[in-house]
mmCIF file of all heavy atoms in Angstrom:
data_model
loop_
_atom_site.group_PDB
_atom_site.id
_atom_site.type_symbol
_atom_site.label_atom_id
_atom_site.label_comp_id
_atom_site.label_asym_id
_atom_site.label_seq_id
_atom_site.Cartn_x
_atom_site.Cartn_y
_atom_site.Cartn_z
ATOM 1 N N ARG A 67 0.428 2.203 -0.762
ATOM 2 C CA ARG A 67 1.169 3.466 -0.831
ATOM 3 C C ARG A 67 1.039 4.231 0.492
ATOM 4 O O ARG A 67 1.969 4.747 1.040
ATOM 5 C CB ARG A 67 0.556 4.333 -1.939
ATOM 6 C CG ARG A 67 1.343 5.441 -2.502
ATOM 7 C CD ARG A 67 0.534 6.214 -3.508
ATOM 8 N NE ARG A 67 0.147 5.440 -4.667
ATOM 9 C CZ ARG A 67 -1.098 5.228 -5.060
ATOM 10 N NH1 ARG A 67 -2.119 5.668 -4.368
ATOM 11 N NH2 ARG A 67 -1.387 4.485 -6.128
ATOM 12 N N TRP A 68 -0.179 4.313 0.983
ATOM 13 C CA TRP A 68 -0.529 4.823 2.293
ATOM 14 C C TRP A 68 -1.728 4.070 2.786
ATOM 15 O O TRP A 68 -2.389 3.378 1.995
ATOM 16 C CB TRP A 68 -0.791 6.339 2.286
ATOM 17 C CG TRP A 68 -1.293 6.848 0.993
ATOM 18 C CD1 TRP A 68 -2.403 6.455 0.344
ATOM 19 C CD2 TRP A 68 -0.656 7.834 0.149
ATOM 20 N NE1 TRP A 68 -2.514 7.136 -0.839
ATOM 21 C CE2 TRP A 68 -1.436 8.003 -0.967
ATOM 22 C CE3 TRP A 68 0.506 8.591 0.246
ATOM 23 C CZ2 TRP A 68 -1.130 8.885 -2.022
ATOM 24 C CZ3 TRP A 68 0.842 9.468 -0.745
ATOM 25 C CH2 TRP A 68 0.022 9.612 -1.885
ATOM 26 N N ASN A 69 -2.068 4.225 4.040
ATOM 27 C CA ASN A 69 -3.155 3.431 4.592
ATOM 28 C C ASN A 69 -4.440 4.173 4.652
ATOM 29 O O ASN A 69 -5.063 4.410 5.725
ATOM 30 C CB ASN A 69 -2.713 2.949 6.004
ATOM 31 C CG ASN A 69 -3.595 1.813 6.544
ATOM 32 O OD1 ASN A 69 -4.515 1.399 5.898
ATOM 33 N ND2 ASN A 69 -3.249 1.373 7.702
ATOM 34 N N THR A 70 -4.901 4.653 3.487
ATOM 35 C CA THR A 70 -6.118 5.421 3.375
ATOM 36 C C THR A 70 -6.549 5.410 1.918
ATOM 37 O O THR A 70 -5.678 5.282 1.019
ATOM 38 C CB THR A 70 -5.845 6.854 3.874
ATOM 39 O OG1 THR A 70 -7.091 7.573 3.941
ATOM 40 C CG2 THR A 70 -4.887 7.624 3.003
ATOM 41 N N ASP A 94 2.764 14.733 11.635
ATOM 42 C CA ASP A 94 1.785 13.751 11.140
ATOM 43 C C ASP A 94 1.396 12.872 12.339
ATOM 44 O O ASP A 94 2.202 12.038 12.828
ATOM 45 C CB ASP A 94 2.444 12.942 10.022
ATOM 46 C CG ASP A 94 1.414 12.053 9.324
ATOM 47 O OD1 ASP A 94 0.279 11.906 9.794
ATOM 48 O OD2 ASP A 94 1.765 11.492 8.244
ATOM 49 N N LEU A 95 0.194 13.068 12.845
ATOM 50 C CA LEU A 95 -0.273 12.337 14.035
ATOM 51 C C LEU A 95 -1.066 11.084 13.630
ATOM 52 O O LEU A 95 -2.029 11.197 12.875
ATOM 53 C CB LEU A 95 -1.147 13.265 14.914
ATOM 54 C CG LEU A 95 -0.347 14.407 15.559
ATOM 55 C CD1 LEU A 95 -1.259 15.482 16.165
ATOM 56 C CD2 LEU A 95 0.638 13.885 16.585
ATOM 57 N N GLY A 96 -0.584 9.929 14.075
ATOM 58 C CA GLY A 96 -1.121 8.665 13.573
ATOM 59 C C GLY A 96 -0.593 8.411 12.155
ATOM 60 O O GLY A 96 -1.361 8.106 11.252
ATOM 61 N N CYS A 97 0.698 8.581 12.025
ATOM 62 C CA CYS A 97 1.353 8.703 10.683
ATOM 63 C C CYS A 97 1.471 7.393 9.933
ATOM 64 O O CYS A 97 1.678 7.374 8.720
ATOM 65 C CB CYS A 97 2.741 9.338 10.806
ATOM 66 S SG CYS A 97 3.911 8.318 11.754
ATOM 67 N N GLY A 98 1.353 6.225 10.633
ATOM 68 C CA GLY A 98 1.705 4.968 9.967
ATOM 69 C C GLY A 98 3.152 5.044 9.558
ATOM 70 O O GLY A 98 4.038 5.303 10.399
ATOM 71 N N TRP A 99 3.441 4.829 8.278
ATOM 72 C CA TRP A 99 4.823 4.956 7.785
ATOM 73 C C TRP A 99 5.109 6.342 7.209
ATOM 74 O O TRP A 99 6.139 6.588 6.601
ATOM 75 C CB TRP A 99 5.197 3.854 6.823
ATOM 76 C CG TRP A 99 4.295 3.676 5.647
ATOM 77 C CD1 TRP A 99 4.428 4.215 4.428
ATOM 78 C CD2 TRP A 99 3.094 2.831 5.598
ATOM 79 N NE1 TRP A 99 3.399 3.807 3.574
ATOM 80 C CE2 TRP A 99 2.565 2.966 4.286
ATOM 81 C CE3 TRP A 99 2.434 2.036 6.522
ATOM 82 C CZ2 TRP A 99 1.413 2.306 3.876
ATOM 83 C CZ3 TRP A 99 1.300 1.371 6.104
ATOM 84 C CH2 TRP A 99 0.775 1.482 4.821
ATOM 85 N N GLY A 100 4.109 7.253 7.361
ATOM 86 C CA GLY A 100 4.381 8.679 7.098
ATOM 87 C C GLY A 100 4.570 9.069 5.654
ATOM 88 O O GLY A 100 5.192 10.115 5.337
ATOM 89 N N GLU A 101 3.955 8.301 4.714
ATOM 90 C CA GLU A 101 4.217 8.588 3.288
ATOM 91 C C GLU A 101 3.826 10.015 2.896
ATOM 92 O O GLU A 101 4.584 10.678 2.205
ATOM 93 C CB GLU A 101 3.477 7.550 2.446
ATOM 94 C CG GLU A 101 3.602 7.770 0.933
ATOM 95 C CD GLU A 101 5.008 7.589 0.412
ATOM 96 O OE1 GLU A 101 5.764 6.751 0.983
ATOM 97 O OE2 GLU A 101 5.367 8.244 -0.577
ATOM 98 N N LEU A 102 2.648 10.457 3.338
ATOM 99 C CA LEU A 102 2.196 11.782 2.900
ATOM 100 C C LEU A 102 3.101 12.878 3.475
ATOM 101 O O LEU A 102 3.439 13.868 2.806
ATOM 102 C CB LEU A 102 0.761 12.024 3.263
ATOM 103 C CG LEU A 102 0.101 13.209 2.523
ATOM 104 C CD1 LEU A 102 0.090 13.026 1.040
ATOM 105 C CD2 LEU A 102 -1.330 13.472 3.048
ATOM 106 N N VAL A 120 4.208 10.649 14.298
ATOM 107 C CA VAL A 120 3.893 10.042 15.607
ATOM 108 C C VAL A 120 2.936 8.873 15.378
ATOM 109 O O VAL A 120 1.900 9.022 14.723
ATOM 110 C CB VAL A 120 3.250 11.088 16.564
ATOM 111 C CG1 VAL A 120 2.874 10.461 17.904
ATOM 112 C CG2 VAL A 120 4.164 12.282 16.756
ATOM 113 N N ASP A 121 3.277 7.744 15.962
ATOM 114 C CA ASP A 121 2.385 6.554 15.851
ATOM 115 C C ASP A 121 2.697 5.633 17.031
ATOM 116 O O ASP A 121 3.715 5.814 17.715
ATOM 117 C CB ASP A 121 2.592 5.853 14.498
ATOM 118 C CG ASP A 121 1.391 5.080 14.077
ATOM 119 O OD1 ASP A 121 1.137 3.957 14.657
ATOM 120 O OD2 ASP A 121 0.640 5.509 13.156
ATOM 121 N N ILE A 122 1.841 4.640 17.217
ATOM 122 C CA ILE A 122 2.058 3.696 18.311
ATOM 123 C C ILE A 122 2.497 2.333 17.765
ATOM 124 O O ILE A 122 2.667 1.380 18.527
ATOM 125 C CB ILE A 122 0.822 3.506 19.213
ATOM 126 C CG1 ILE A 122 -0.423 3.216 18.379
ATOM 127 C CG2 ILE A 122 0.608 4.688 20.121
ATOM 128 C CD1 ILE A 122 -1.643 2.847 19.172
ATOM 129 N N SER A 123 2.717 2.248 16.435
ATOM 130 C CA SER A 123 3.195 0.959 15.861
ATOM 131 C C SER A 123 4.684 1.084 15.575
ATOM 132 O O SER A 123 5.082 1.805 14.648
ATOM 133 C CB SER A 123 2.414 0.674 14.592
ATOM 134 O OG SER A 123 3.105 -0.331 13.833
ATOM 135 N N LEU A 126 5.531 0.106 11.921
ATOM 136 C CA LEU A 126 5.211 1.125 10.891
ATOM 137 C C LEU A 126 6.204 2.276 10.987
ATOM 138 O O LEU A 126 6.633 2.847 9.934
ATOM 139 C CB LEU A 126 3.772 1.612 11.074
ATOM 140 C CG LEU A 126 2.702 0.546 10.899
ATOM 141 C CD1 LEU A 126 1.310 1.161 10.956
ATOM 142 C CD2 LEU A 126 2.864 -0.233 9.592
ATOM 143 N N GLU A 148 4.712 7.229 20.197
ATOM 144 C CA GLU A 148 3.939 7.809 21.320
ATOM 145 C C GLU A 148 2.472 7.933 20.910
ATOM 146 O O GLU A 148 2.167 8.174 19.743
ATOM 147 C CB GLU A 148 4.498 9.239 21.596
ATOM 148 C CG GLU A 148 3.977 9.847 22.877
ATOM 149 C CD GLU A 148 4.576 11.219 23.157
ATOM 150 O OE1 GLU A 148 5.805 11.408 22.988
ATOM 151 O OE2 GLU A 148 3.829 12.091 23.630
ATOM 152 N N PRO A 149 1.548 7.862 21.864
ATOM 153 C CA PRO A 149 0.134 8.057 21.471
ATOM 154 C C PRO A 149 -0.061 9.497 20.971
ATOM 155 O O PRO A 149 0.413 10.454 21.579
ATOM 156 C CB PRO A 149 -0.630 7.837 22.764
ATOM 157 C CG PRO A 149 0.327 7.035 23.647
ATOM 158 C CD PRO A 149 1.697 7.512 23.256
ATOM 159 N N ALA A 150 -0.778 9.621 19.853
ATOM 160 C CA ALA A 150 -0.980 10.926 19.259
ATOM 161 C C ALA A 150 -1.681 11.916 20.214
ATOM 162 O O ALA A 150 -1.380 13.113 20.250
ATOM 163 C CB ALA A 150 -1.786 10.814 17.967
ATOM 164 N N GLN A 151 -2.597 11.374 21.005
ATOM 165 C CA GLN A 151 -3.442 12.247 21.873
ATOM 166 C C GLN A 151 -2.658 12.868 23.044
ATOM 167 O O GLN A 151 -3.124 13.790 23.656
ATOM 168 C CB GLN A 151 -4.645 11.487 22.379
ATOM 169 C CG GLN A 151 -4.430 10.347 23.361
ATOM 170 C CD GLN A 151 -4.093 9.022 22.685
ATOM 171 O OE1 GLN A 151 -3.600 8.964 21.571
ATOM 172 N NE2 GLN A 151 -4.321 7.925 23.373
ATOM 173 N N CYS A 162 -3.552 14.545 10.044
ATOM 174 C CA CYS A 162 -4.162 13.494 10.890
ATOM 175 C C CYS A 162 -5.159 12.762 10.037
ATOM 176 O O CYS A 162 -6.256 13.257 9.817
ATOM 177 C CB CYS A 162 -4.792 14.109 12.144
ATOM 178 S SG CYS A 162 -5.495 12.805 13.257
ATOM 179 N N ILE A 163 -4.714 11.640 9.535
ATOM 180 C CA ILE A 163 -5.581 10.924 8.528
ATOM 181 C C ILE A 163 -5.879 9.513 9.031
ATOM 182 O O ILE A 163 -4.944 8.726 9.293
ATOM 183 C CB ILE A 163 -4.828 10.848 7.196
ATOM 184 C CG1 ILE A 163 -4.652 12.276 6.637
ATOM 185 C CG2 ILE A 163 -5.626 10.016 6.195
ATOM 186 C CD1 ILE A 163 -3.885 12.362 5.355
ATOM 187 N N GLY A 164 -7.155 9.260 9.244
ATOM 188 C CA GLY A 164 -7.578 7.904 9.671
ATOM 189 C C GLY A 164 -7.146 7.569 11.093
ATOM 190 O O GLY A 164 -7.133 6.393 11.454
ATOM 191 N N ALA A 165 -6.897 8.537 11.918
ATOM 192 C CA ALA A 165 -6.395 8.283 13.244
ATOM 193 C C ALA A 165 -7.186 8.933 14.338
ATOM 194 O O ALA A 165 -6.748 9.125 15.493
ATOM 195 C CB ALA A 165 -4.915 8.700 13.361
ATOM 196 N N GLN A 167 -9.420 7.814 16.052
ATOM 197 C CA GLN A 167 -9.701 6.896 17.156
ATOM 198 C C GLN A 167 -8.754 7.154 18.371
ATOM 199 O O GLN A 167 -9.070 6.786 19.471
ATOM 200 C CB GLN A 167 -9.573 5.436 16.701
ATOM 201 C CG GLN A 167 -8.210 4.911 16.375
ATOM 202 C CD GLN A 167 -7.832 5.155 14.915
ATOM 203 O OE1 GLN A 167 -8.380 6.048 14.256
ATOM 204 N NE2 GLN A 167 -6.902 4.346 14.395
ATOM 205 N N ALA A 168 -7.614 7.783 18.072
ATOM 206 C CA ALA A 168 -6.715 8.125 19.192
ATOM 207 C C ALA A 168 -7.400 9.029 20.196
ATOM 208 O O ALA A 168 -7.026 9.029 21.363
ATOM 209 C CB ALA A 168 -5.413 8.774 18.627
ATOM 210 N N TRP A 169 -8.334 9.819 19.725
ATOM 211 C CA TRP A 169 -9.064 10.750 20.621
ATOM 212 C C TRP A 169 -10.484 10.248 20.931
ATOM 213 O O TRP A 169 -11.282 10.951 21.454
ATOM 214 C CB TRP A 169 -9.169 12.153 19.990
ATOM 215 C CG TRP A 169 -7.894 12.888 19.917
ATOM 216 C CD1 TRP A 169 -7.422 13.823 20.839
ATOM 217 C CD2 TRP A 169 -6.899 12.818 18.890
ATOM 218 N NE1 TRP A 169 -6.187 14.324 20.403
ATOM 219 C CE2 TRP A 169 -5.855 13.690 19.215
ATOM 220 C CE3 TRP A 169 -6.767 12.072 17.715
ATOM 221 C CZ2 TRP A 169 -4.722 13.879 18.434
ATOM 222 C CZ3 TRP A 169 -5.626 12.237 16.912
ATOM 223 C CH2 TRP A 169 -4.652 13.151 17.318
ATOM 224 N N PHE A 243 -7.897 0.996 -2.517
ATOM 225 C CA PHE A 243 -7.502 0.834 -1.098
ATOM 226 C C PHE A 243 -7.822 -0.555 -0.625
ATOM 227 O O PHE A 243 -6.982 -1.275 -0.045
ATOM 228 C CB PHE A 243 -8.258 1.886 -0.277
ATOM 229 C CG PHE A 243 -8.087 1.735 1.209
ATOM 230 C CD1 PHE A 243 -6.870 1.832 1.808
ATOM 231 C CD2 PHE A 243 -9.213 1.532 2.023
ATOM 232 C CE1 PHE A 243 -6.722 1.716 3.180
ATOM 233 C CE2 PHE A 243 -9.081 1.412 3.391
ATOM 234 C CZ PHE A 243 -7.838 1.512 3.979
HETATM 235 C C1 LIG B 209 -5.743 4.047 9.063
HETATM 236 S S1 LIG B 209 -4.086 4.197 9.613
HETATM 237 C C2 LIG B 209 -3.607 5.723 8.806
HETATM 238 C C3 LIG B 209 -2.111 5.901 8.779
HETATM 239 C C4 LIG B 209 -1.660 7.143 8.045
HETATM 240 N N1 LIG B 209 -2.170 8.350 8.585
HETATM 241 C C5 LIG B 209 -1.925 7.041 6.555
HETATM 242 O O1 LIG B 209 -2.726 7.844 6.064
HETATM 243 O O2 LIG B 209 -1.345 6.209 5.916
HETATM 244 C C6 LIG B 209 -4.238 4.690 11.336
HETATM 245 C C7 LIG B 209 -2.912 4.807 12.073
HETATM 246 O O3 LIG B 209 -3.205 5.324 13.385
HETATM 247 C C8 LIG B 209 -2.305 4.724 14.261
HETATM 248 N N2 LIG B 209 -2.876 4.876 15.633
HETATM 249 C C9 LIG B 209 -3.937 4.270 16.158
HETATM 250 N N3 LIG B 209 -4.104 4.722 17.449
HETATM 251 C C10 LIG B 209 -3.100 5.634 17.655
HETATM 252 C C11 LIG B 209 -2.748 6.434 18.773
HETATM 253 N N4 LIG B 209 -3.442 6.434 19.929
HETATM 254 N N5 LIG B 209 -1.689 7.242 18.661
HETATM 255 C C12 LIG B 209 -0.953 7.262 17.495
HETATM 256 N N6 LIG B 209 -1.260 6.505 16.424
HETATM 257 C C13 LIG B 209 -2.325 5.705 16.483
HETATM 258 C C14 LIG B 209 -2.226 3.258 13.768
HETATM 259 O O4 LIG B 209 -1.065 2.610 14.244
HETATM 260 C C15 LIG B 209 -2.173 3.528 12.269
HETATM 261 O O5 LIG B 209 -0.861 3.646 11.798
#
Side-chain angles (χ1 to χ4, degrees):
R67 198 185 298 120
W68 28 58
N69 194 358
T70 188
D94 191 348
L95 292 168
C97 64
W99 53 94
E101 178 66 30
L102 195 62
V120 178
D121 205 284
I122 50 172
S123 164
L126 299 185
E148 191 178 319
Q151 68 276 24
C162 181
I163 297 177
Q167 69 272 25
W169 290 264
F243 172 60

